[in-house]
Amino acid sequence: MARPTIADIADRAGVSKGAVSFALNGRPGVSEATRARILAIAEQMAWRPHSAARALGASRVDSVGLVIARPARTLGVEPFFAHLVSGLQSGLSAHSISLQLLIVEDTEAEIEVYRRWNSEHRVDGVILVDLTVRDPRIDELKALELPAVVIGGRGGKGALPSVWASDRDAMLAVVEYLAALGHRRIAHVAGTPNFQHTQRRMRALRDAAPRLGLVEAPSLATDFSDAEGAATTRKLLSQAVRPTAIVYDSDVMAVAGLGVAMEMGVSVPGELSIVAFDDSILTQLMHPALTALSRDTFEFGRQAAEVLLEVIADPTATINRRTADPVLTVRESTAPPA
């Protein structure tokens, strides 16, 4: 089937090609009712702008997008994303470019946002977070020919440019430190199981267990919320034989886990060592202060913005920038097992 054109949309809508162009590019010249009708027809016909035509005829809108498919309530207490967005905006503001942020419930809704933004030419490119196993967003963004940069992992084996740090090496650093202290029962309160970074952390612990002589090394998946972090910790500490150390995939879950340990009368670090995969003011203000993997998330976001601008300027560019791995910051929540 031939690719639908602006002329095809104009014929079906009963308007001129100029009116269709105005509507699709968000320009004045048509009524809002006509614009809505044209956009609906374009969506029905699965119309997408031709990359060459867009390069020749469409000016940049000086805006990039970030869509996050996580519960808004969870994000509201997640320091990582606050620092990431600040870094992104800092990198973009230096070039007078704005950031459009949208929170949706699932990946399907996220893809629909990309289609709408692209057809309406609302953004020049997008930042992709939380890469999943067999992520459908990769092929969709390639088909849309919308410049994109993946944060946190390689974009489908190099299919999209990326900015990343090694989750595997970071997890190995944590587990090797705990094993050196003498821990042999180490549990992992993991994040969403279909996220690639969660899978890399789980595999790193599983692979390291025989080499480090670990007796137990389970990974228990959650949704990254404080509620599930607390519930999973309670389950672990209610076992007849408890872990002597727990690694949490976020600072929020680690803080929740510390609260459960205190509630159950399990001393930290006397009976239980706790490590957070993200560092923040939360981990530093706890008593005891939490050992955590520290990195400059603001700078991580700024570099992602820099790479996206390079890709927008040259869509053929293939950039996979590895940033510095997180560094383990030892505080009061870790000690040799009793």
Side-chain angles (χ1 to χ4, degrees), residues 63-68 88 92 97-102 110-111 113-118 122-129 137-138 140-142 144-151 160-163 304-305 307-309 311-312:
S63 180
V64 302
L66 170 63
V67 185
I68 302 175
L88 285 169
L92 297 170
I97 294 174
S98 65
L99 175 67
Q100 290 197 47
L101 172 63
L102 195 60
E110 182 178 342
I111 288 174
V113 171
Y114 295 143
R115 290 170 178 165
R116 186 176 73 253
W117 277 355
N118 193 62
R122 296 278 295 277
V123 296
D124 297 316
V126 296
I127 295 288
L128 199 66
V129 298
R137 297 173 297 174
I138 300 296
E140 184 68 33
L141 287 169
K142 290 174 65 179
L144 292 174
E145 298 177 318
L146 182 62
V149 169
V150 174
I151 283 183
L160 291 178
S162 60
V163 176
V307 170
L308 180 57
L309 294 180
V311 173
I312 291 171

Side-chain angles (χ1 to χ4, degrees), residues 170-171 173-175 177-178 181 183 186-189 244-251 253-255 258 268 272-279 283 289-294 327-335:
M171 177 59 93
V174 171
V175 179
Y177 164 70
L178 291 172
L181 288 177
H183 293 280
I186 302 173
H188 173 209
V189 178
T244 61
I246 302 179
V247 182
Y248 294 84
D249 263 7
S250 77
D251 46 357
M253 292 199 298
V255 169
L258 174 61
V268 177
L272 176 70
S273 287
I274 289 178
V275 180
F277 216 92
D278 290 325
D279 198 6
T283 58
L290 300 182
T291 295
L293 282 164
S294 305
V327 176
L328 187 64
T329 300
V330 177
R331 299 194 180 100
E332 301 164 358
S333 67
T334 46

Side-chain angles (χ1 to χ4, degrees), residues 27-261:
R27 296 172 182 166
V30 293
S31 69
E32 288 306 310
T34 300
R35 187 188 309 277
R37 183 160 56 88
I38 290 171
L39 292 177
I41 291 172
E43 184 67 24
Q44 292 168 6
M45 298 178 70
W47 176 85
R48 298 291 178 262
H50 191 280
S51 57
R54 180 164 61 182
L56 290 172
S59 60
R60 292 183 183 173
V61 293
D62 291 333
S63 180
V64 302
L66 170 63
V67 185
I68 302 175
R70 289 199 193 187
R73 185 179 296 276
T74 300
L75 287 176
V77 294
E78 183 59 75
F80 173 84
F81 280 102
H83 292 300
L84 179 67
V85 169
S86 296
L88 285 169
Q89 188 61 76
S90 174
L92 297 170
S93 294
H95 300 273
S96 299
I97 294 174
S98 65
L99 175 67
Q100 290 197 47
L101 172 63
L102 195 60
I103 298 172
V104 297
E105 288 301 315
D106 53 39
T107 300
E108 184 177 341
E110 182 178 342
I111 288 174
E112 285 303 315
V113 171
Y114 295 143
R115 290 170 178 165
R116 186 176 73 253
W117 277 355
N118 193 62
S119 65
E120 297 174 3
H121 197 199
R122 296 278 295 277
V123 296
D124 297 316
V126 296
I127 295 288
L128 199 66
V129 298
D130 292 336
L131 204 66
T132 63
V133 178
R134 294 182 293 277
D135 199 310
R137 297 173 297 174
I138 300 296
D139 288 340
E140 184 68 33
L141 287 169
K142 290 174 65 179
L144 292 174
E145 298 177 318
L146 182 62
V149 169
V150 174
I151 283 183
R154 287 180 173 271
K157 297 183 179 179
L160 291 178
S162 60
V163 176
W164 59 285
S166 176
D167 288 286
R168 180 180 178 84
D169 289 350
M171 177 59 93
L172 289 176
V174 171
V175 179
E176 288 169 357
Y177 164 70
L178 291 172
L181 288 177
H183 293 280
R184 293 298 178 265
R185 298 181 185 276
I186 302 173
H188 173 209
V189 178
T192 306
N194 67 325
F195 287 174
Q196 286 192 18
H197 57 76
T198 300
Q199 291 285 329
R200 285 191 291 268
R201 297 171 191 181
M202 293 169 70
R203 281 197 300 270
L205 175 57
R206 184 174 64 245
D207 293 347
R211 173 172 59 86
L212 298 175
L214 303 187
V215 177
E216 291 184 357
S219 290
L220 291 81
T222 71
D223 64 356
F224 279 108
S225 70
D226 56 338
E228 287 207 10
T232 304
T233 302
R234 191 170 289 107
K235 177 180 178 181
L236 287 167
L237 297 184
S238 297
Q239 296 175 164
V241 180
R242 300 187 304 228
T244 61
I246 302 179
V247 182
Y248 294 84
D249 263 7
S250 77
D251 46 357
V252 172
M253 292 199 298
V255 169
L258 174 61
V260 169

